[in-house]
Amino acid sequence: MVPILLVLLLALILFGAGFAVDLLWWIALVVLVVWLLGFLLRGTNAAGTRGRWYRW
């Protein structure tokens, strides 16, 4: 009985980790798209030129 429970627990942990990794890939893709849109659609400053694309 204990080995079956350990296998089921391991399967549950691996399924959870796989779901989390898949979710992180989707979040990374959304962040990349938002960053690229911000890079491409940034506004101009008072002089009419585009400013720096980074914030630091």
Side-chain angles (χ1 to χ4, degrees):
M1 184 72 179
V2 173
I4 293 173
L5 289 175
L6 289 176
V7 169
L8 288 175
L9 181 62
L10 181 64
L12 184 64
I13 290 171
L14 291 176
F15 173 75
F19 179 74
V21 169
D22 188 48
L23 182 66
L24 288 176
W25 274 111
W26 283 108
I27 291 171
L29 184 64
V30 168
V31 168
L32 177 66
V33 168
V34 169
W35 180 80
L36 285 174
L37 286 174
F39 178 74
L40 295 173
L41 302 176
R42 65 186 187 271
T44 58
N45 59 15
T49 60
R50 291 186 183 262
R52 298 178 305 190
W53 58 272
Y54 52 88
R55 295 281 182 194
W56 62 84

